[in-house]
């Protein structure tokens, strides 16, 4: 039985005031939550969330990292800096990083390796665009993205990786994959892992992301191969986020 995991990805949305209200709201509801809950926050708010969430069940993550450990990389943030603020997780390969900042499968694989080397758990994101789905290429795209990381870090490393399947056409659009569509691809991803190691395939969490909300979370998380969610928009309202956290 895999633990249900719900991770919020705030993207570039926060202020000191909203962070305070959001975290306090989430913490109030946490005693009723059985899922593991993570919030992946913009870098400037890591410290604030670390302080607010001390001694709580809430886990902290960042949304990206640089592949270098330190040095002349203006504007960039290293894994050790993220860890310095008590973060345990980092989103890697989000579709917005891939499409807006040109992150290739190889860069994503390198970031997964760097996160693992530093002791951070990567929330490794994969998923197809609408055009790729419509041309029946969902499985080949997801397999390519997965294999780039398996080839780089090795299958054993998946003991420390959380996969997030996020169809790009469902992210921030209000269009959610149906439970059947999501389950089909999750089962395919688990099958890819199983080709390498059956036990690791069974133990690796595979989250769904893409317009998950309080109305659809329960049905999605009930699917056999869906182990929780990576939540964008609905993670910005504590009531909605908590509702999803309780869906597992
Ligand atoms: C995301 O950004 O990872 C995401 C799933 O966003 P949303 O829930 O808003 O679709």
């Amino acid at each position: 039985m895999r633990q249900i995991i719900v991770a919020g990805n705030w993207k570039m949305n926060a202020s000191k005031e909203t962070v305070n209200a959001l975290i306090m709201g989430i913490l109030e509801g946490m005693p009723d939550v059985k899922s593991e809950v993570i919030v992946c926050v913009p870098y400037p708010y890591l410290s604030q969330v670390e302080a607010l969430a001390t001694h709580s069940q809430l886990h902290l993550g960042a949304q990206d990292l640089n592949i270098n450990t330190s040095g002349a990389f203006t504007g960039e943030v290293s894994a050790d800096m993220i860890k310095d603020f008590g973060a345990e997780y980092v989103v890697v390969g989000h579709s917005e990083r891939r499409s807006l900042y040109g992150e290739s499968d190889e860069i994503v694989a390198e970031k997964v390796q760097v996160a693992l080397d530093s002791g951070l758990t990567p929330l490794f994101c994969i998923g197809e665009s609408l055009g790729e789905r419509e041309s029946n290429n969902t499985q080949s795209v997801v397999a390519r993205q997965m294999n780039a990381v398996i080839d780089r870090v090795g299958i054993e490393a998946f003991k420390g990786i959380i996969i997030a399947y996020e169809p790009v056409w469902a992210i921030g659009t209000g269009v959610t994959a149906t439970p059947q569509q999501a389950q089909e691809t999750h089962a395919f991803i688990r099958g890819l892992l199983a080709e390498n190691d059956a036990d690791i395939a069974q133990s690796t969490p595979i989250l769904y992301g893409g317009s998950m909300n309080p109305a659809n979370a329960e049905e999605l998380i009930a699917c056999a191969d869906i182990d929780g969610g990576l939540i964008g928009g609905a993670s910005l309202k504590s009531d909605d986020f908590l509702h999803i956290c309780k869906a597992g």
Side-chain angles (χ1 to χ4, degrees), residues 46-47 50 78-87 120:
L46 282 169
S47 170
E50 181 191 27
S78 73
D80 282 350
M81 292 174 182
I82 292 167
K83 284 190 68 185
D84 221 5
F85 291 95
L120 288 167

Side-chain angles (χ1 to χ4, degrees), residues 13 196 237:
N13 299 295
N196 294 274
K237 290 188 188 144

